[in-house]
Amino acid sequence: MALVAVGLVSGCDSERRPADAKPAASVSQTPPLTQDQLEAALPGPYEFPAGLEEDGFGGKHSWDGTDSTICRSENWPASWCARATALASSAASATSEGRQLSVRLLSFRSEKDAAKRFLGDTDPAEVGHNPPGDEILRIHAPDDDTHVYPGEGYDVRQGAIVGQVRYVYKDGDVPPGQTRAITKMVAKRIQQVQRGETPTASVR
């Protein structure tokens, strides 16, 4: 089932923020993830908030980084796609409640690549105290014309991996803290895979 949430524009869209505007940061060098590892890091239907499996889970999908067309169709900036080793996405919805949630992951070739291109926010008013991930950016409302309902999201970097979380809700009021909790779960699942563990993090 095609989900509208999958069409949301990334908060890291190169048209909104220059893709290479940030100087290289001093970072530890956690390795990139393979296609299989990235797919494993994605949350499934029983890791998403309860009720989103009502209309069925949209499935997990992953690709290697050789086809930039697929990467760009997943709404990643072209300059990021040129440095990607793998990407993955999953989505779920509860149509009767007007809820749609999507998660996308992209693995850069190195943590240095990811840190150079990701522009996060450190303002506690935006991202809270002790936010998840190495860097994070809050997206107040996706600004494209393809989604039906208003919503919010986060972009998060964990090592060489960048994740997008987008959550839309019919009445425009996503339950307080839920999108951040989902983002924290995504960052933790990435960490678990990076450590060679089976990912178990969930918001259930």
Side-chain angles (χ1 to χ4, degrees):
M1 175 185 62
L3 298 177
V4 177
V6 176
L8 302 182
V9 169
S10 165
C12 47
D13 193 316
S14 57
E15 293 183 2
R16 296 172 58 189
R17 295 191 288 129
D20 297 310
K22 181 181 176 184
S26 175
V27 294
S28 60
Q29 291 301 309
T30 58
L33 296 182
T34 66
Q35 179 180 342
D36 288 344
Q37 289 174 319
L38 205 63
E39 183 170 324
L42 283 170
Y46 301 107
E47 287 82 52
F48 282 137
L52 282 171
E53 70 279 6
E54 172 194 320
D55 295 330
F57 176 56
K60 293 185 178 184
H61 307 280
S62 64
W63 306 266
D64 64 30
T66 58
D67 190 340
S68 61
T69 303
I70 295 175
C71 183
R72 292 194 301 272
S73 74
E74 287 287 297
N75 289 323
W76 294 105
S79 61
W80 291 33
C81 294
R83 305 295 296 174
T85 62
L87 56 149
S89 66
S90 63
S93 71
T95 303
S96 64
E97 300 175 10
R99 286 195 292 162
Q100 298 170 324
L101 172 63
S102 66
V103 176
R104 295 188 189 89
L105 303 178
L106 182 146
S107 177
F108 280 96
R109 297 179 185 178
S110 69
E111 185 168 348
K112 183 178 180 180
D113 267 350
K116 180 180 179 181
R117 288 164 175 79
F118 190 97
L119 299 180
D121 194 346
T122 58
D123 182 359
E126 285 295 307
V127 299
H129 295 282
N130 192 29
D134 295 323
E135 295 185 274
I136 194 168
L137 178 69
R138 186 179 181 188
I139 309 299
H140 284 279
D143 60 1
D144 68 275
D145 297 322
T146 63
H147 63 286
V148 176
Y149 308 128
E152 65 177 10
Y154 286 92
D155 293 344
V156 64
R157 181 180 70 81
Q158 187 67 57
I161 314 306
V162 172
Q164 299 176 2
V165 175
R166 299 291 183 270
Y167 200 4
V168 298
Y169 225 90
K170 182 168 60 177
D171 11 358
D173 295 321
V174 175
Q178 193 165 88
T179 309
R180 191 177 190 273
I182 296 166
T183 305
K184 182 177 180 179
M185 177 261 291
V186 169
K188 187 171 182 180
R189 288 178 67 86
I190 294 169
Q191 284 181 310
Q192 289 172 327
V193 174
Q194 287 171 330
R195 293 194 297 260
E197 302 170 4
T198 299
T200 57
S202 171
V203 294
R204 295 287 182 102

PDB file of all heavy atoms in Angstrom, residues 147-166:
ATOM      1  N   HIS A 147       1.627  15.588   0.855  1.00  0.00           N
ATOM      2  CA  HIS A 147       1.014  14.943   2.007  1.00  0.00           C
ATOM      3  C   HIS A 147      -0.382  15.513   2.262  1.00  0.00           C
ATOM      4  O   HIS A 147      -0.693  16.646   1.901  1.00  0.00           O
ATOM      5  CB  HIS A 147       1.892  15.091   3.250  1.00  0.00           C
ATOM      6  CG  HIS A 147       2.092  16.504   3.706  1.00  0.00           C
ATOM      7  ND1 HIS A 147       2.903  17.397   3.053  1.00  0.00           N
ATOM      8  CD2 HIS A 147       1.552  17.191   4.741  1.00  0.00           C
ATOM      9  CE1 HIS A 147       2.878  18.557   3.666  1.00  0.00           C
ATOM     10  NE2 HIS A 147       2.060  18.463   4.689  1.00  0.00           N
ATOM     11  N   VAL A 148      -1.228  14.712   2.883  1.00  0.00           N
ATOM     12  CA  VAL A 148      -2.616  15.094   3.109  1.00  0.00           C
ATOM     13  C   VAL A 148      -2.769  15.836   4.433  1.00  0.00           C
ATOM     14  O   VAL A 148      -3.510  16.807   4.530  1.00  0.00           O
ATOM     15  CB  VAL A 148      -3.518  13.843   3.099  1.00  0.00           C
ATOM     16  CG1 VAL A 148      -4.965  14.217   3.421  1.00  0.00           C
ATOM     17  CG2 VAL A 148      -3.435  13.140   1.755  1.00  0.00           C
ATOM     18  N   TYR A 149      -2.052  15.378   5.459  1.00  0.00           N
ATOM     19  CA  TYR A 149      -2.236  15.917   6.791  1.00  0.00           C
ATOM     20  C   TYR A 149      -0.971  16.629   7.261  1.00  0.00           C
ATOM     21  O   TYR A 149       0.133  16.335   6.810  1.00  0.00           O
ATOM     22  CB  TYR A 149      -2.561  14.791   7.783  1.00  0.00           C
ATOM     23  CG  TYR A 149      -3.701  13.911   7.358  1.00  0.00           C
ATOM     24  CD1 TYR A 149      -3.558  12.532   7.314  1.00  0.00           C
ATOM     25  CD2 TYR A 149      -4.928  14.468   7.003  1.00  0.00           C
ATOM     26  CE1 TYR A 149      -4.607  11.719   6.927  1.00  0.00           C
ATOM     27  CE2 TYR A 149      -5.976  13.658   6.608  1.00  0.00           C
ATOM     28  CZ  TYR A 149      -5.820  12.291   6.572  1.00  0.00           C
ATOM     29  OH  TYR A 149      -6.849  11.488   6.184  1.00  0.00           O
ATOM     30  N   PRO A 150      -1.109  17.565   8.218  1.00  0.00           N
ATOM     31  CA  PRO A 150       0.080  18.196   8.796  1.00  0.00           C
ATOM     32  C   PRO A 150       0.817  17.215   9.690  1.00  0.00           C
ATOM     33  O   PRO A 150       0.289  16.164  10.064  1.00  0.00           O
ATOM     34  CB  PRO A 150      -0.499  19.362   9.615  1.00  0.00           C
ATOM     35  CG  PRO A 150      -1.895  18.933   9.935  1.00  0.00           C
ATOM     36  CD  PRO A 150      -2.356  18.087   8.768  1.00  0.00           C
ATOM     37  N   GLY A 151       2.031  17.546  10.045  1.00  0.00           N
ATOM     38  CA  GLY A 151       2.794  16.643  10.888  1.00  0.00           C
ATOM     39  C   GLY A 151       4.101  17.249  11.330  1.00  0.00           C
ATOM     40  O   GLY A 151       4.293  18.469  11.285  1.00  0.00           O
ATOM     41  N   GLU A 152       5.012  16.394  11.764  1.00  0.00           N
ATOM     42  CA  GLU A 152       6.314  16.837  12.238  1.00  0.00           C
ATOM     43  C   GLU A 152       7.324  15.723  12.006  1.00  0.00           C
ATOM     44  O   GLU A 152       6.963  14.615  11.586  1.00  0.00           O
ATOM     45  CB  GLU A 152       6.252  17.193  13.726  1.00  0.00           C
ATOM     46  CG  GLU A 152       5.944  16.000  14.619  1.00  0.00           C
ATOM     47  CD  GLU A 152       5.951  16.337  16.098  1.00  0.00           C
ATOM     48  OE1 GLU A 152       6.012  17.536  16.429  1.00  0.00           O
ATOM     49  OE2 GLU A 152       5.909  15.399  16.913  1.00  0.00           O
ATOM     50  N   GLY A 153       8.558  15.996  12.285  1.00  0.00           N
ATOM     51  CA  GLY A 153       9.578  14.969  12.108  1.00  0.00           C
ATOM     52  C   GLY A 153      10.913  15.394  12.674  1.00  0.00           C
ATOM     53  O   GLY A 153      11.073  16.502  13.190  1.00  0.00           O
ATOM     54  N   TYR A 154      11.861  14.473  12.571  1.00  0.00           N
ATOM     55  CA  TYR A 154      13.247  14.732  12.954  1.00  0.00           C
ATOM     56  C   TYR A 154      14.162  14.105  11.913  1.00  0.00           C
ATOM     57  O   TYR A 154      13.851  13.062  11.339  1.00  0.00           O
ATOM     58  CB  TYR A 154      13.583  14.109  14.312  1.00  0.00           C
ATOM     59  CG  TYR A 154      13.005  14.823  15.511  1.00  0.00           C
ATOM     60  CD1 TYR A 154      11.775  14.441  16.031  1.00  0.00           C
ATOM     61  CD2 TYR A 154      13.697  15.869  16.128  1.00  0.00           C
ATOM     62  CE1 TYR A 154      11.236  15.086  17.134  1.00  0.00           C
ATOM     63  CE2 TYR A 154      13.161  16.514  17.235  1.00  0.00           C
ATOM     64  CZ  TYR A 154      11.937  16.122  17.738  1.00  0.00           C
ATOM     65  OH  TYR A 154      11.400  16.757  18.827  1.00  0.00           O
ATOM     66  N   ASP A 155      15.297  14.763  11.692  1.00  0.00           N
ATOM     67  CA  ASP A 155      16.428  14.142  11.020  1.00  0.00           C
ATOM     68  C   ASP A 155      17.467  13.893  12.094  1.00  0.00           C
ATOM     69  O   ASP A 155      17.698  14.753  12.956  1.00  0.00           O
ATOM     70  CB  ASP A 155      17.008  15.056   9.934  1.00  0.00           C
ATOM     71  CG  ASP A 155      16.056  15.258   8.773  1.00  0.00           C
ATOM     72  OD1 ASP A 155      15.104  14.478   8.641  1.00  0.00           O
ATOM     73  OD2 ASP A 155      16.258  16.212   7.999  1.00  0.00           O
ATOM     74  N   VAL A 156      18.099  12.726  12.073  1.00  0.00           N
ATOM     75  CA  VAL A 156      19.068  12.376  13.113  1.00  0.00           C
ATOM     76  C   VAL A 156      20.271  11.697  12.479  1.00  0.00           C
ATOM     77  O   VAL A 156      20.136  10.916  11.536  1.00  0.00           O
ATOM     78  CB  VAL A 156      18.401  11.467  14.188  1.00  0.00           C
ATOM     79  CG1 VAL A 156      17.956  10.138  13.593  1.00  0.00           C
ATOM     80  CG2 VAL A 156      19.330  11.249  15.375  1.00  0.00           C
ATOM     81  N   ARG A 157      21.454  12.043  12.975  1.00  0.00           N
ATOM     82  CA  ARG A 157      22.676  11.362  12.522  1.00  0.00           C
ATOM     83  C   ARG A 157      23.225  10.521  13.653  1.00  0.00           C
ATOM     84  O   ARG A 157      23.370  10.996  14.783  1.00  0.00           O
ATOM     85  CB  ARG A 157      23.753  12.371  12.082  1.00  0.00           C
ATOM     86  CG  ARG A 157      25.031  11.672  11.574  1.00  0.00           C
ATOM     87  CD  ARG A 157      26.097  12.652  11.147  1.00  0.00           C
ATOM     88  NE  ARG A 157      26.691  13.378  12.256  1.00  0.00           N
ATOM     89  CZ  ARG A 157      27.656  12.903  13.050  1.00  0.00           C
ATOM     90  NH1 ARG A 157      28.120  11.670  12.891  1.00  0.00           N
ATOM     91  NH2 ARG A 157      28.141  13.647  14.025  1.00  0.00           N
ATOM     92  N   GLN A 158      23.533   9.261  13.337  1.00  0.00           N
ATOM     93  CA  GLN A 158      24.183   8.362  14.285  1.00  0.00           C
ATOM     94  C   GLN A 158      25.385   7.767  13.575  1.00  0.00           C
ATOM     95  O   GLN A 158      25.246   6.878  12.734  1.00  0.00           O
ATOM     96  CB  GLN A 158      23.224   7.260  14.744  1.00  0.00           C
ATOM     97  CG  GLN A 158      23.762   6.372  15.848  1.00  0.00           C
ATOM     98  CD  GLN A 158      23.938   7.140  17.153  1.00  0.00           C
ATOM     99  OE1 GLN A 158      22.998   7.718  17.669  1.00  0.00           O
ATOM    100  NE2 GLN A 158      25.144   7.143  17.676  1.00  0.00           N
ATOM    101  N   GLY A 159      26.581   8.295  13.850  1.00  0.00           N
ATOM    102  CA  GLY A 159      27.762   7.847  13.135  1.00  0.00           C
ATOM    103  C   GLY A 159      27.662   8.185  11.666  1.00  0.00           C
ATOM    104  O   GLY A 159      27.393   9.329  11.289  1.00  0.00           O
ATOM    105  N   ALA A 160      27.851   7.186  10.803  1.00  0.00           N
ATOM    106  CA  ALA A 160      27.800   7.394   9.353  1.00  0.00           C
ATOM    107  C   ALA A 160      26.388   7.296   8.790  1.00  0.00           C
ATOM    108  O   ALA A 160      26.194   7.409   7.588  1.00  0.00           O
ATOM    109  CB  ALA A 160      28.698   6.364   8.651  1.00  0.00           C
ATOM    110  N   ILE A 161      25.396   7.099   9.663  1.00  0.00           N
ATOM    111  CA  ILE A 161      24.014   6.885   9.220  1.00  0.00           C
ATOM    112  C   ILE A 161      23.159   8.103   9.529  1.00  0.00           C
ATOM    113  O   ILE A 161      23.227   8.663  10.627  1.00  0.00           O
ATOM    114  CB  ILE A 161      23.396   5.653   9.924  1.00  0.00           C
ATOM    115  CG1 ILE A 161      24.360   4.458   9.897  1.00  0.00           C
ATOM    116  CG2 ILE A 161      22.051   5.309   9.288  1.00  0.00           C
ATOM    117  CD1 ILE A 161      24.852   4.083   8.533  1.00  0.00           C
ATOM    118  N   VAL A 162      22.343   8.503   8.547  1.00  0.00           N
ATOM    119  CA  VAL A 162      21.364   9.565   8.763  1.00  0.00           C
ATOM    120  C   VAL A 162      19.970   8.958   8.637  1.00  0.00           C
ATOM    121  O   VAL A 162      19.700   8.176   7.727  1.00  0.00           O
ATOM    122  CB  VAL A 162      21.539  10.714   7.748  1.00  0.00           C
ATOM    123  CG1 VAL A 162      20.396  11.723   7.868  1.00  0.00           C
ATOM    124  CG2 VAL A 162      22.878  11.412   7.963  1.00  0.00           C
ATOM    125  N   GLY A 163      19.103   9.310   9.573  1.00  0.00           N
ATOM    126  CA  GLY A 163      17.728   8.842   9.545  1.00  0.00           C
ATOM    127  C   GLY A 163      16.749   9.995   9.441  1.00  0.00           C
ATOM    128  O   GLY A 163      17.003  11.083   9.963  1.00  0.00           O
ATOM    129  N   GLN A 164      15.640   9.755   8.749  1.00  0.00           N
ATOM    130  CA  GLN A 164      14.517  10.693   8.686  1.00  0.00           C
ATOM    131  C   GLN A 164      13.304  10.022   9.318  1.00  0.00           C
ATOM    132  O   GLN A 164      12.959   8.896   8.949  1.00  0.00           O
ATOM    133  CB  GLN A 164      14.150  11.049   7.251  1.00  0.00           C
ATOM    134  CG  GLN A 164      15.209  11.727   6.425  1.00  0.00           C
ATOM    135  CD  GLN A 164      14.713  11.918   4.987  1.00  0.00           C
ATOM    136  OE1 GLN A 164      13.585  11.586   4.648  1.00  0.00           O
ATOM    137  NE2 GLN A 164      15.580  12.445   4.153  1.00  0.00           N
ATOM    138  N   VAL A 165      12.659  10.716  10.227  1.00  0.00           N
ATOM    139  CA  VAL A 165      11.404  10.244  10.809  1.00  0.00           C
ATOM    140  C   VAL A 165      10.338  11.288  10.499  1.00  0.00           C
ATOM    141  O   VAL A 165      10.519  12.465  10.798  1.00  0.00           O
ATOM    142  CB  VAL A 165      11.521  10.061  12.338  1.00  0.00           C
ATOM    143  CG1 VAL A 165      10.169   9.678  12.935  1.00  0.00           C
ATOM    144  CG2 VAL A 165      12.569   9.008  12.671  1.00  0.00           C
ATOM    145  N   ARG A 166       9.237  10.855   9.858  1.00  0.00           N
ATOM    146  CA  ARG A 166       8.144  11.756   9.532  1.00  0.00           C
ATOM    147  C   ARG A 166       6.832  11.148  10.032  1.00  0.00           C
ATOM    148  O   ARG A 166       6.524   9.991   9.729  1.00  0.00           O
ATOM    149  CB  ARG A 166       8.049  11.993   8.014  1.00  0.00           C
ATOM    150  CG  ARG A 166       9.292  12.617   7.409  1.00  0.00           C
ATOM    151  CD  ARG A 166       9.470  14.067   7.858  1.00  0.00           C
ATOM    152  NE  ARG A 166      10.625  14.671   7.218  1.00  0.00           N
ATOM    153  CZ  ARG A 166      11.869  14.653   7.715  1.00  0.00           C
ATOM    154  NH1 ARG A 166      12.100  14.031   8.853  1.00  0.00           N
ATOM    155  NH2 ARG A 166      12.849  15.238   7.066  1.00  0.00           N
TER     156      ARG A 166
END
